[in-house]
């Protein structure tokens, strides 16, 4: 079982309205891909994402693991703060990083001071989809025939 | 600048309607933080009755519960409000987690279905709140994205927030961790279960909602 990471540049969602943005992200996650989104979505869009996730939960889709890395807001030097305000004004939500993964694959996303840990579930132990199950049954049958 | 004006207008409108209708205080947070235990504590203290059932299994509260006309008194001051207990907000719900905790598959699936609806309702109700108490489990890592999203959303909506560091009766509970995660908010350490520091909680409630 392979793990797919999909990079989504901010430009791809920049001009979408909140619902379209969230739908696009959910669609990718439901394809069992982990999204690395350049920048971040708005706060109200984060709750919209959770709401939409709950609406989509079913036998195959169990939800998401969400992680947003916000730009640091700890500058005490007035000049640095001013610089940061200018950068904030110019880049807005383009700053930071968002990771969204399907809960069936991503167990937890942890942030240590200087690293992000993505803990995945034991993929080999995951329940097989009906399609993969029929393939594996076929394999077993072939083996028996050889014997 | 526009943001400041918008916030001021919002606050003005909220203040106007606050006088017209009952203040709604919402209990929000992740599952199993102790929202219903705190709701029960408040209701027992001031109404003499419980609000809802509690359980060690997550998502015990799966629908919005409202207790009306709660009146909290402190000296000559009185605070009247409607208390809204909400289901815990989560980004994932898997019925198999409930099965692992001993529930039958049928019951677990039903619980998961109701829990997802509960999260949706809790989010929908955010706009209705005048004040929100965010109830966090003091023994757990406060930096979870759900916590950050809830608090960030309340700030964006300009809703006054009081953060409660619950389960202080447990040795592992750390108020400092929560304070470090949300430095711009007051954090009240309590144990809703034992009633530890509950007076400080009521004092803080008066400050934020009174």
């Amino acid at each position: 079982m392979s793990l797919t990471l999909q990079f989504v540049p901010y430009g791809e969602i920049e001009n979408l309205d909140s619902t379209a943005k969230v739908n696009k992200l959910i669609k990718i996650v439901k394809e069992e891909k982990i999204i690395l989104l350049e920048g971040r979505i708005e706060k109200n869009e984060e709750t919209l994402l959770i709401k939409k996730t709950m609406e989509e939960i079913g036998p195959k889709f169990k939800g998401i693991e969400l992680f947003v890395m916000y730009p640091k807001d700890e500058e005490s030097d007035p000049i640095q703060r001013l610089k940061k305000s200018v950068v904030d004004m110019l880049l807005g939500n383009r700053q930071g990083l968002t990771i969204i993964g399907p809960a069936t694959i991503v167990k937890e996303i942890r942030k240590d001071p200087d690293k992000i840990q993505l803990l995945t579930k034991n993929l080999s132990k995951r329940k097989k989809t009906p399609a993969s199950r029929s393939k594996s049954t076929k394999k077993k049958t072939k083996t028996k025939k050889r014997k | 600048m526009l943001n400041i004006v918008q916030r001021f207008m919002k606050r003005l409108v909220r203040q106007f309607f606050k006088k017209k209708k009952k203040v709604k205080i919402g209990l929000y947070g992740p599952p199993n933080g102790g929202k219903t235990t705190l709701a029960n504590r408040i209701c027992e203290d001031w109404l003499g009755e419980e609000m809802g059932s509690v359980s060690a299994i997550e998502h015990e509260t799966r629908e919005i519960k409202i207790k009306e006309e709660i009146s909290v008194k402190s000296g000559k001051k009185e605070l009247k409000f409607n208390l809204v207990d909400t289901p815990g907000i989560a980004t994932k719900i898997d019925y198999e987690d409930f099965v692992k905790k001993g529930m039958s598959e049928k019951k677990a699936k039903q619980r998961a279905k109701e829990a997802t609806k509960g999260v949706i309702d809790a989010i929908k109700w955010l706009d209705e709140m005048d004040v929100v108490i965010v109830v966090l489990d003091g023994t757990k890592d406060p930096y979870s994205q759900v916590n950050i999203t809830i608090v960030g959303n309340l700030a964006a909506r300009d809703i006054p927030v009081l953060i409660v560091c619950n389960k202080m009766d447990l040795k592992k509970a750390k108020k400092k961790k929560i304070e470090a995660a949300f430095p711009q908010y007051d954090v009240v350490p309590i144990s809703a279960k034992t009633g530890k520091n509950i007076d400080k909680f009521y004092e803080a409630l008066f400050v934020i909602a009174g």
Side-chain angles (χ1 to χ4, degrees), chain A residues 122-134:
Chain A
N122 192 345
L123 297 177
S124 57
K125 276 188 183 175
R126 282 181 60 213
K127 275 191 176 177
K128 287 169 185 165
T129 58
S132 63
R133 204 175 290 146
S134 63

Side-chain angles (χ1 to χ4, degrees), chain A residues 63-122:
Chain A
I64 58 166
E65 266 300 322
L66 172 68
F67 173 84
V68 187
M69 204 165 120
Y70 303 92
K72 278 190 176 177
D73 195 18
E74 296 158 357
E75 298 295 349
S76 53
D77 178 17
I79 296 168
Q80 290 300 324
R81 285 184 77 90
L82 185 70
K83 267 188 193 172
K84 197 190 163 294
S85 314
V86 174
V87 172
D88 285 351
M89 211 161 62
L90 292 173
L91 296 178
N93 287 341
R94 225 175 245 275
Q95 295 178 91
L97 176 76
T98 305
I99 303 173
I100 310 164
T104 44
I105 295 175
V106 183
K107 195 177 162 191
E108 197 184 341
I109 305 172
R110 275 189 209 155
K111 191 197 163 197
D112 283 337
D114 50 3
K115 66 182 176 202
I116 298 167
Q117 279 182 301
L118 201 97
L119 309 179
T120 56
K121 289 195 174 172
N122 192 345

Side-chain angles (χ1 to χ4, degrees), chain B residues 137-174:
Chain B
D137 182 340
T139 66
K140 290 193 176 158
D141 177 16
Y143 289 95
S144 85
Q145 192 57 47
V146 165
N147 295 349
I148 295 166
T149 299
I150 296 170
V151 175
N153 246 274
L154 294 166
R157 288 164 204 247
D158 206 24
I159 297 171
V161 174
L162 174 65
I163 297 178
V164 160
C165 170
N166 195 23
K167 306 196 183 181
M168 287 305 287
D169 53 306
L170 302 176
K171 275 184 182 174
K172 269 175 75 185
K174 297 267 184 294

Side-chain angles (χ1 to χ4, degrees), chain A residues 43-44 46-47 50-51 53-55 57 62-68 70 103 106-107 127, chain B residues 89-96 116 119-120 123-124 126 145-146 148-149 152-153 156-157:
Chain A
K43 291 279 178 200
N44 66 316
E46 283 177 23
T47 41
I50 296 174
K51 191 167 156 266
T53 299
M54 290 297 123
E55 287 168 0
I57 281 182
K62 308 286 185 190
I64 58 166
E65 266 300 322
L66 172 68
F67 173 84
V68 187
Y70 303 92
V106 183
K107 195 177 162 191
K127 275 191 176 177
Chain B
I89 294 180
T91 57
K92 58 183 177 185
I93 294 168
D94 188 350
Y95 79 90
E96 285 177 2
T116 56
V119 176
I120 295 168
I123 292 172
K124 279 183 188 165
L126 266 174
Q145 192 57 47
V146 165
I148 295 166
T149 299
N153 246 274
R157 288 164 204 247

